[in-house]
């Protein structure tokens, strides 16, 4: 079984040790490093983890700066932000810069391990305490402009189905199960969605879907390919 390698980046030693204890106790997960912000990029480059849990607010190095640097690394790991507030004003910026979601530091232990597994499988995560208000409560979360709306309208019905499940944080395998498609077919659909929407991550696609009001169609039955 593949072991999910995790690096925890936080300025508080207590938070780092707590996450390490919880995750190392979970099957198939190993915390390979816990560091502060100043050491983060170097350790990620050295350890080549699958997942990085990154504090969004640190006194030595800003979490957004670390995120941008980590995302430029070859075979960059999945990054999720750690915060104490589910309406943290920096969360939306982090998501738009390629973070795959965010977790609250007081996330329940069993949820934490499952979130790490979801991230490693290519899904996105949001704290259970968060809601759509996160995406609507900050500047920049306004409705999509005409060009963005046109991109969304170029999606096929099946691509819209896939995108709406992406916004739920599902991995390609889980989306395939839900839509009775192979994981490979879902991967092809996700790649097409990225190209049409001109985004580079699942969370960016989800944010655009939100702004374009595509999620309002969630409860409408769809047919077609």
């Amino acid at each position: 079984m593949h072991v999910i390698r995790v690096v925890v980046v936080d300025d508080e030693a207590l938070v780092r040790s707590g996450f390490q204890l919880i995750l190392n106790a979970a099957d198939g997960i190993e915390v390979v490093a816990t560091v502060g912000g100043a050491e983060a990029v170097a350790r990620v480059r050295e350890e080549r983890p699958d997942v990085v849990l990154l504090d969004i607010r640190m006194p030595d190095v800003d979490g957004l700066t670390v995120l941008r640097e980590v995302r430029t690394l070859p075979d960059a790991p999945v990054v999720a932000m750690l915060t104490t507030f589910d309406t943290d004003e920096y969360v939306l910026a982090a998501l738009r810069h390629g973070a795959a979601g965010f977790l609250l530091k007081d996330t329940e232990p069993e949820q934490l391990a499952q979130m790490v597994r979801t991230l490693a499988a290519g899904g996105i995560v949001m704290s259970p305490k968060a809601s759509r208000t996160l995406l609507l409560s900050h500047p920049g979360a306004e409705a999509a402009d005409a060009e963005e709306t046109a991109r969304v309208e170029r999606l096929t019905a099946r691509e819209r189905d896939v995108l709406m499940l992406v916004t739920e944080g599902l991995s390609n395998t889980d989306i395939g199960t839900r839509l009775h498609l192979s994981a490979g077919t879902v991967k092809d659909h996700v790649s097409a969605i990225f190209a049409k929407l001109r985004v580079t991550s699942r969370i960016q696609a989800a944010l655009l879907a939100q702004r374009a009001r595509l999620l309002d169609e969630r409860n409408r039955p769809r047919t077609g390919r």
Side-chain angles (χ1 to χ4, degrees):
M1 180 179 65
H2 173 70
V3 174
I4 301 168
R5 295 166 55 82
V6 180
V7 168
V8 179
V9 182
D10 196 286
D11 64 302
E12 298 182 34
L14 186 60
V15 172
R16 296 197 302 265
S17 61
F19 272 60
Q20 183 175 34
L21 182 66
I22 292 168
L23 292 175
N24 281 346
D27 292 337
I29 300 175
E30 179 186 4
V31 175
V32 295
T34 65
V35 295
E39 310 160 74
V41 177
R43 290 303 299 274
V44 169
R45 185 182 288 112
E46 176 185 344
E47 298 292 348
R48 303 186 67 178
D50 302 295
V51 176
V52 174
L53 303 181
L54 172 61
D55 188 5
I56 203 167
R57 294 175 180 265
M58 295 180 288
D60 51 355
V61 178
D62 178 74
L64 294 179
T65 299
V66 175
L67 170 65
R68 285 191 290 268
E69 292 187 28
V70 167
R71 291 289 296 164
T72 65
L73 295 175
D75 298 320
V78 176
V79 182
M81 310 307 291
L82 299 174
T83 179
T84 54
F85 305 103
D86 59 352
T87 54
D88 190 314
E89 64 190 46
Y90 289 118
V91 165
L92 191 57
L95 298 180
R96 289 188 170 178
H97 279 91
F102 76 99
L103 294 71
L104 295 188
K105 292 185 182 182
D106 63 355
T107 297
E108 294 295 327
E110 62 274 13
Q111 293 175 341
L112 177 61
Q114 186 53 48
M115 285 180 166
V116 167
R117 294 187 183 102
T118 297
L119 290 165
I124 58 178
V125 298
M126 293 286 211
S127 165
K129 294 184 180 179
S131 69
R132 292 176 65 180
T133 57
L134 169 70
L135 304 180
L136 300 175
S137 61
H138 299 299
E142 68 279 356
D145 61 26
E147 181 183 355
E148 290 176 325
T149 300
R151 293 180 207 163
V152 172
E153 289 175 349
R154 285 197 287 269
L155 299 178
T156 66
R158 177 58 81 196
E159 288 166 354
R160 287 178 177 233
D161 291 337
V162 171
L163 178 53
M164 283 192 276
L165 293 178
V166 165
T167 67
E168 294 183 19
L170 300 185
S171 67
N172 290 348
T173 299
D174 292 334
I175 293 172
T177 299
R178 189 82 66 90
L179 297 179
H180 306 292
L181 300 171
S182 71
T185 297
V186 174
K187 182 179 180 180
D188 290 341
H189 282 311
V190 171
S191 295
I193 290 167
F194 283 9
K196 289 182 180 180
L197 298 186
R198 300 180 191 171
V199 299
T200 58
S201 73
R202 299 167 84 92
I203 196 69
Q204 290 170 354
L207 288 170
L208 181 51
Q210 171 77 4
R211 297 202 308 281
R213 303 294 186 260
L214 184 62
L215 304 194
D216 295 343
E217 302 179 16
R218 188 183 299 278
N219 296 321
R220 299 176 194 171
R222 279 197 165 273
T223 59
R225 296 182 179 180

